[in-house]
Amino acid sequence: MKSMSFFVVLVPSVIIIVVHGFSTTLEGPFKPETASLDPNLNPVAFDLPESDPSFVEPNSKFLRPEQISVSLSYSFDSVWISWVTAEKFQSGSVQSIVQYSEFDVVSRNKTAKGHYLVYNQDGNGLKNYTSGKIHHVQLTGLKPKTLYQYRCGDPSLSAMSKEHYFRTMPKSTSEDYPHRIVVAGDLGLTYNTSTVLTHILSNHPDLVVLIGGFSYADTYLANKTKLDCSSCQCDQETSSYCDSCYNSRESYQPRWDYWGRFMELLTANVPTMMVAGEHEIEPQNNNNLTFVAYSSRFSFPSNESGSFSPLYYSFNAGGAHFIVLNSYTPYDNSSDQYVWLESDLRNINRSETPWVVATWSLPWYSTFKGYYREAESMRTNLEDLLYSYRVDIIFNGQVDAYERSNRVYNYTLDQCGPVYITTGAGGGGKLDIEHADDPGNCPDHSQKNSVGSCGFNSTLGHVNDEFCPVSQPDYSAYRESSFGFGMLEVKNVTHALWSWNRNQNFYYIAADIIYIVRQPDICPVYT
């Protein structure tokens, strides 16, 4: 690795620390690059078997908490603890209690109480599902950058979890940030997921952001039959098959329980924020409800951030402000999501949180064939707003590949535009290895239908270039087909180190690494 040196440059109101050793976005725009596909890499993702030991429900006659997770509230002084107690105890009475204290304090001298809920998923008459009791407890009055220990459950029933730990975020200042923020998309429950999880844990993150594609319960029918969606492309003459694939209105809900147990080693100890994607829609037959399992199983700082939907919300992580949006709920300028987003952006204090990061599932600037420009409607509705408020980085999933853009706005290179990063190759789906600019790969959007994933966001706006370019477009800086996850390390008010970590490499080797640099002096917020 190159040695690094530092020097300080003074500009009006800003101190820029220049870091040598890695490329920076100031050197861009970069010439588009496509990494060769590793010939030893199998692009197919194989689900872990239902008999996997990590999926098995704990064998206990007590109401032992399982599927424990920690998520952030809006600011550093509060977190949510969530967990599940088994369905077989549904008729019993159980409390939602967390006992906690600062680490190394002899006794857990604080207690917080919460609530639980139960949801039902219509299985199309074949097998309806009723969840266990899903508990949510908010802890408040916490100190910044402090390690806490906790147990959750019901002490009156001697049904408490083992000891877990979490660290709170720093205060929202321009001088303090979480050390490592992991960003991963479309994990699923595959052998590749297992590798990704191992590598994430090896990097000891302070915060994890997961973008869509969690349990992949919607890729199974209620009778456990696996739907073969891997070859389904909505531009083919198989739209009816696509409908049955992605909008079957059936799902195998126990896979949500498998995912919660599988991920608990991470989610119970590291604050983990969830971003809903296509696989979380899960429409029901009787009432057309959507996102029910997703919104029931996790906690979100919706109310704290002024939103009343778990599908879009915001939170602070030190000097970084995160905005979570949803690709599959209305976003036009009269929608609740748009109105909330505009208000949230307007109220950001850039002296406290100079970095603004947005994330949602369906990407705007992916050049892979899968889902190519299916989010044009969302882009044309929201891009001006995000650009005006100088959002710095945008993370997406959905596409099972990795791609990093040059700074771009309206398909044009722009030094004040965000850097778009697609990280949808967490292991849950088959790798996307074809690009829209490859010969014969331009999707035919005339085949799109009007429901579900295929066509939901494909109302195409006018763009200045051809629909499918004949070569990798200049806004695409780097792309590759590999399973893995990304990591963001914000260093100061202007520099953040981004790296892409492949499954086939050691956990400490990055395939793509670059400093993303803010230039607030030449890119002021413009409303």
Side-chain angles (χ1 to χ4, degrees):
M1 181 179 293
K2 297 179 182 178
S3 62
M4 296 187 190
S5 60
F6 303 83
F7 64 90
V8 177
V9 178
L10 297 178
V11 298
S13 303
V14 178
I15 298 177
I16 298 178
I17 300 178
V18 181
V19 184
H20 286 294
F22 299 119
S23 296
T24 78
T25 52
L26 296 179
E27 301 166 41
F30 297 96
K31 182 179 178 181
E33 179 183 355
T34 300
S36 300
L37 181 66
D38 186 338
N40 298 315
L41 181 64
N42 188 341
V44 179
F46 295 98
D47 283 354
L48 290 164
E50 195 170 33
S51 60
D52 188 279
S54 63
F55 294 175
V56 177
E57 181 180 349
N59 184 17
S60 173
K61 63 181 180 179
F62 301 109
L63 289 161
R64 296 291 185 191
E66 58 168 276
Q67 307 174 50
I68 302 169
S69 64
V70 182
S71 58
L72 299 180
S73 185
Y74 184 81
S75 57
F76 72 87
D77 59 353
S78 176
V79 303
W80 287 88
I81 309 294
S82 303
W83 69 93
V84 179
T85 48
E87 177 189 1
K88 61 186 177 182
F89 297 104
Q90 202 63 265
S91 60
S93 176
V94 59
Q95 299 182 85
S96 308
I97 292 178
V98 176
Q99 299 172 339
Y100 65 103
S101 68
E102 293 178 47
F103 180 61
D104 275 349
V105 173
V106 175
S107 61
R108 283 173 295 279
N109 54 10
K110 295 184 180 180
T111 298
K113 296 183 179 180
H115 67 279
Y116 68 80
L117 57 86
V118 174
Y119 78 89
N120 297 296
Q121 185 77 21
D122 183 1
N124 200 25
L126 295 175
K127 185 179 180 182
N128 294 335
Y129 171 89
T130 299
S131 73
K133 292 177 177 176
I134 303 171
H135 304 257
H136 301 293
V137 176
Q138 187 175 22
L139 313 187
T140 58
L142 306 178
K143 296 179 180 179
K145 295 176 67 173
T146 301
L147 184 65
Y148 283 85
Q149 58 191 11
Y150 75 95
R151 296 196 305 165
C152 59
D154 187 343
S156 68
L157 299 176
S158 300
M160 297 295 286
S161 71
K162 68 177 185 180
E163 203 82 59
H164 292 288
Y165 306 86
F166 67 86
R167 187 178 298 276
T168 52
M169 294 294 103
K171 287 184 178 180
S172 294
T173 73
S174 61
E175 301 175 350
D176 214 346
Y177 304 88
H179 181 50
R180 290 175 176 171
I181 304 171
V182 160
V183 183
D186 297 78
L187 266 68
L189 281 170
T190 70
Y191 289 96
N192 292 315
T193 309
S194 184
T195 304
V196 167
L197 179 59
T198 299
H199 285 182
I200 289 175
L201 291 168
S202 298
N203 278 279
H204 304 288
D206 296 319
L207 173 64
V208 175
V209 178
L210 299 181
I211 309 173
F214 308 125
S215 71
Y216 278 68
D218 67 326
T219 64
Y220 285 77
L221 297 176
N223 63 3
K224 302 186 185 181
T225 301
K226 173 73 171 177
L227 287 166
D228 182 16
C229 299
S230 60
S231 61
C232 174
Q233 295 293 333
C234 300
D235 54 82
Q236 297 173 349
E237 296 178 359
T238 54
S239 59
S240 61
Y241 176 65
C242 284
D243 287 345
S244 66
C245 211
Y246 293 111
N247 300 283
S248 66
R249 296 184 180 268
E250 288 186 40
S251 63
Y252 185 53
Q253 287 294 297
R255 292 195 69 81
W256 278 104
D257 297 306
Y258 301 165
W259 192 87
R261 294 166 191 148
F262 182 83
M263 296 293 294
E264 186 179 278
L265 187 60
L266 173 69
T267 61
N269 299 290
V270 181
T272 303
M273 307 306 288
M274 313 295 284
V275 183
E278 174 192 35
H279 289 287
E280 286 67 58
I281 298 174
E282 297 184 309
Q284 298 201 28
N285 278 303
N286 292 337
N287 46 29
N288 288 321
L289 290 175
T290 55
F291 297 102
V292 175
Y294 166 82
S295 59
S296 299
R297 289 177 176 271
F298 309 107
S299 294
F300 312 91
S302 302
N303 290 342
E304 300 98 303
S305 61
S307 165
F308 295 96
S309 170
L311 302 180
Y312 47 90
Y313 59 88
S314 64
F315 62 93
N316 290 332
H321 182 76
F322 281 78
I323 298 171
V324 174
L325 299 177
N326 187 263
S327 308
Y328 300 98
T329 198
Y331 39 66
D332 62 272
N333 61 10
S334 64
S335 67
D336 290 343
Q337 181 169 204
Y338 186 99
V339 172
W340 170 82
L341 172 61
E342 187 173 34
S343 173
D344 189 80
L345 288 167
R346 186 171 57 247
N347 290 317
I348 297 173
N349 184 341
R350 296 302 276 260
S351 65
E352 292 183 354
T353 54
W355 286 89
V356 178
V357 179
T359 177
W360 60 87
S361 179
L362 197 60
W364 295 353
Y365 285 101
S366 166
T367 61
F368 285 84
K369 181 180 178 181
Y371 301 98
Y372 180 67
R373 291 199 181 177
E374 285 197 19
E376 273 299 287
S377 177
M378 186 182 186
R379 186 191 69 80
T380 55
N381 276 276
L382 299 182
E383 186 174 27
D384 286 350
L385 192 58
L386 299 180
Y387 178 78
S388 297
Y389 282 96
R390 302 306 191 215
V391 171
D392 299 296
I393 308 171
I394 291 174
F395 291 114
N396 304 119
Q398 197 77 36
V399 174
D400 293 299
Y402 169 71
E403 187 164 15
R404 171 176 53 84
S405 79
N406 286 306
R407 290 192 176 275
V408 60
Y409 166 65
N410 195 26
Y411 294 104
T412 303
L413 296 176
D414 189 311
Q415 63 181 342
C416 296
V419 174
Y420 290 81
I421 299 175
T422 300
T423 61
K430 180 181 178 181
L431 275 182
D432 282 305
I433 60 176
E434 298 184 358
H435 312 106
D437 50 274
D438 295 336
N441 269 0
C442 190
D444 180 3
H445 282 261
S446 65
Q447 297 293 328
K448 302 288 184 186
N449 51 50
S450 60
V451 296
S453 167
C454 306
F456 189 97
N457 282 282
S458 61
T459 303
L460 299 174
H462 175 72
V463 291
N464 295 324
D465 60 335
E466 64 273 22
F467 183 71
C468 284
V470 296
S471 61
Q472 186 175 356
D474 57 3
Y475 61 77
S476 175
Y478 180 86
R479 64 188 183 186
E480 72 169 50
S481 299
S482 65
F483 295 110
F485 69 95
M487 189 157 58
L488 183 69
E489 302 173 65
V490 182
K491 302 299 184 181
N492 52 54
V493 69
T494 58
H495 283 66
L497 185 65
W498 167 257
S499 59
W500 172 249
N501 304 269
R502 299 184 185 122
N503 271 13
Q504 64 264 42
N505 294 341
F506 292 108
Y507 74 90
Y508 52 83
I509 298 177
D512 179 40
I513 187 165
I514 190 170
Y515 271 101
I516 298 173
V517 182
R518 298 180 63 248
Q519 300 183 84
D521 53 325
I522 65 173
C523 298
V525 172
Y526 176 77
T527 58

